[in-house]
Amino acid sequence: MRMQGRRARSAAAAATALWLVLLLPAMAVSGRAVKKDGPRRWAAEPWRGRSALDNGLGRTPPMGWNSWNHFQCKIDENMIRETANAVVATGLASLGYKYINLDDCWAELNRNSQGNLVPKASTFPSGIKALADYVHEKGLKLGIYSDAGTQTCSKTMPGSLGYEEQDAKTFASWGIDYLKYDNCNNQNINLQQRGQEDPATWAGSVGNSWRTTGDIEDNWNSMTSRADQNDQWASYAGPGGWNDPDMLEVGNGGMTIEEYRSHFGIWALAKAPLLIGCDVRSMSNETFAILSNSEVIDVNQDELGVQGKKVKSKSNLEVWAGPLSGGRVAVVLWNRGASQASLTADWSEIGLNPSTVVDARDLWEHSTASAEGNLTATVASHASKMYVLTPK
Ligand SMILES: *[C@@H]1O[C@H](CO)[C@@H](O)[C@H](O)[C@H]1NC(C)=O
Ligand SMILES: *[C@@H]1O[C@H](CO)[C@@H](O)[C@H](O)[C@H]1NC(C)=O
């Protein structure tokens, strides 16, 4: 959320948004399968031991759209319906973008006499159930937003503090598929119990993804810093629970096409939720080309579910990489410097044996070349190259 009051809060305090799909205080905690199939470099890492929410959801990172980054509080049911239409008509839905998620500001300021949340009459006159029905008929899913405090971050609607069970039942009765649960105005109640800090360390038992950063803004510095903050929690991610460096800004206008391509590629590699944050009803062809790159999406949705990480950084020249199923490796060569440069990923840095020969698939050029020992490319300032390496 980009509310003013919230900005004053610490990053950690602002960083608690859970994807709670079981709409009860569900504590279905299970052990977690040991990762398999990855190159030695990753397989040998210490197991951090997360308790995954075993609700069958989020086996790969969630994909969809959320209203906040572009619209903030200016949302209404017509716009949401048009967005659902556009997600289907453009083909984004068939690429996996299934969740249409309302963020803050969908409800009246006050609960009704029974204590229930009430959809805002001026903007959601048909109610949320009707919206869920509409979205479901299009083969999509509807997400909603609440907050662990007395009011949400915008302070235009109530939070769920003291009404957790009741609100969960309301959401379930409407057919909601996804809950984003924020942490504003929480009265500092049971801070320890709530585990407000560092949700990656605890949220896996109650949600399918959790924020690792404060809110993203539509600019290069914000985007790169979210990527870096999120990177340190990599070992906590896996099927059933994902680190969230916040939603995509691709298409909102504050970054260049190359910067947005880097944003999307790094989010995909890091197994971040891919939640589109622009107006898909009027996105440019360039924006669509980024969001619809199925080869990049495939990296994000790979069944192995291991978060790729920054494995080398020198003078703003970075190599990010991670294992994929089938012994493949995803690599991003990211030039965060101010001028064009040559970047190299050596096999020893990305978990391959030095003698391995691979097919290196360039996911933006859609071309394949053979490589051995390293991958080297000239990369423009703020641009990146993204590859999947398949050992021959
Ligand atoms: C955008 O893509 C559409 C569909 O492929 C095409 O008809 C249109 O000419 C493109 N617009 C621009 C400005 O390139
Ligand atoms: C990359 O590997 C090739 C051999 O395939 C070698 O000639 C070249 O020196 C290597 N480049 C770097 C930067 O290590």
Side-chain angles (χ1 to χ4, degrees):
M1 309 286 82
R2 293 192 288 197
M3 309 309 298
Q4 208 134 38
R6 181 111 181 255
R7 283 265 75 91
R9 302 163 61 89
S10 76
T16 311
L18 304 180
W19 181 34
L20 292 165
V21 187
L22 263 190
L23 298 171
L24 295 165
M27 293 296 160
V29 178
S30 77
R32 179 148 172 269
V34 171
K35 293 183 182 110
K36 53 181 191 296
D37 211 10
R40 260 176 302 119
R41 181 184 174 83
W42 285 280
E45 286 204 345
W47 176 242
R48 298 289 271 277
R50 182 175 60 78
S51 300
L53 177 60
D54 191 12
N55 59 0
L57 296 168
R59 302 309 296 172
T60 59
M63 292 176 65
W65 173 91
N66 175 291
S67 55
W68 186 260
N69 281 0
H70 190 83
F71 295 95
Q72 291 90 49
C73 277
K74 296 185 288 297
I75 59 174
D76 63 70
E77 63 183 35
N78 289 332
M79 181 274 283
I80 301 295
R81 286 175 192 226
E82 287 171 13
T83 295
N85 295 348
V87 165
V88 172
T90 55
L92 289 172
S94 56
L95 287 163
Y97 295 98
K98 294 285 191 225
Y99 289 99
I100 304 296
N101 293 349
L102 304 179
D103 210 283
D104 203 348
C105 311
W106 59 268
E108 294 286 0
L109 180 60
N110 296 308
R111 294 172 179 271
N112 69 12
S113 56
Q114 286 87 52
N116 291 323
L117 291 166
V118 181
K120 202 169 177 180
S122 60
T123 47
F124 291 89
S126 311
I128 304 299
K129 172 80 166 65
L131 189 58
D133 290 346
Y134 183 87
V135 164
H136 289 157
E137 273 168 29
K138 305 204 77 84
L140 301 171
K141 296 179 180 299
L142 190 69
I144 208 160
Y145 169 98
S146 191
D147 181 281
T150 53
Q151 288 187 318
T152 60
C153 300
S154 72
K155 299 195 175 179
T156 68
M157 59 176 278
S160 292
L161 182 61
Y163 294 86
E164 290 86 356
E165 190 102 21
Q166 184 170 355
D167 290 352
K169 286 178 176 158
T170 298
F171 298 151
S173 76
W174 289 341
I176 295 292
D177 304 291
Y178 181 123
L179 173 64
K180 173 176 175 178
Y181 205 48
D182 218 326
N183 199 25
C184 286
N185 309 308
N186 66 18
Q187 312 299 301
N188 290 336
I189 297 168
N190 290 336
L191 202 68
Q192 211 60 34
Q193 192 182 327
R194 283 175 185 281
Q196 180 167 305
E197 309 292 330
D198 299 339
T201 62
W202 58 269
S205 63
V206 292
N208 296 99
S209 77
W210 47 84
R211 286 279 293 283
T212 54
T213 72
D215 286 3
I216 194 171
E217 291 173 34
D218 186 18
N219 63 67
W220 169 256
N221 285 337
S222 176
M223 184 272 284
T224 53
S225 67
R226 302 310 104 162
D228 289 346
Q229 287 165 35
N230 188 64
D231 187 45
Q232 52 185 317
W233 302 106
S235 61
Y236 290 90
W242 310 100
N243 291 315
D244 179 8
D246 206 0
M247 302 172 292
L248 298 168
E249 292 283 8
V250 177
N252 280 331
M255 288 182 254
T256 67
I257 292 296
E258 291 295 3
E259 290 169 345
Y260 280 141
R261 223 178 255 161
S262 299
H263 176 20
F264 191 67
I266 289 290
W267 261 237
L269 182 89
K271 303 294 189 286
L274 296 182
L275 295 170
I276 296 170
C278 70
D279 187 348
V280 293
R281 300 171 305 173
S282 59
M283 65 186 155
S284 69
N285 287 5
E286 290 92 340
T287 293
F288 177 73
I290 293 171
L291 297 172
S292 65
N293 186 323
S294 62
E295 296 195 75
V296 176
I297 292 171
D298 285 349
V299 169
N300 181 254
Q301 297 291 303
D302 182 68
E303 63 181 1
L304 188 62
V306 175
Q307 179 171 332
K309 298 187 295 196
K310 189 188 299 197
V311 299
K312 183 168 73 174
S313 177
K314 197 180 166 201
S315 310
N316 288 319
L317 306 180
E318 300 186 348
V319 177
W320 294 60
L324 300 174
S325 57
R328 297 170 303 142
V329 178
V331 182
V332 175
L333 304 179
W334 193 7
N335 180 0
R336 284 166 60 164
S339 53
Q340 179 173 292
S342 175
L343 277 77
T344 296
D346 199 85
W347 277 193
S348 64
E349 296 158 351
I350 60 171
L352 291 172
N353 290 321
S355 60
T356 304
V357 180
V358 304
D359 275 330
R361 176 73 174 173
D362 183 324
L363 306 189
W364 292 111
E365 297 293 331
H366 305 296
S367 62
T368 307
S370 191
E372 181 177 355
N374 66 62
L375 200 59
T376 299
T378 300
V379 186
S381 168
H382 291 194
S384 57
K385 303 279 281 180
M386 186 167 186
Y387 305 89
V388 168
L389 310 184
T390 306
K392 294 201 208 190

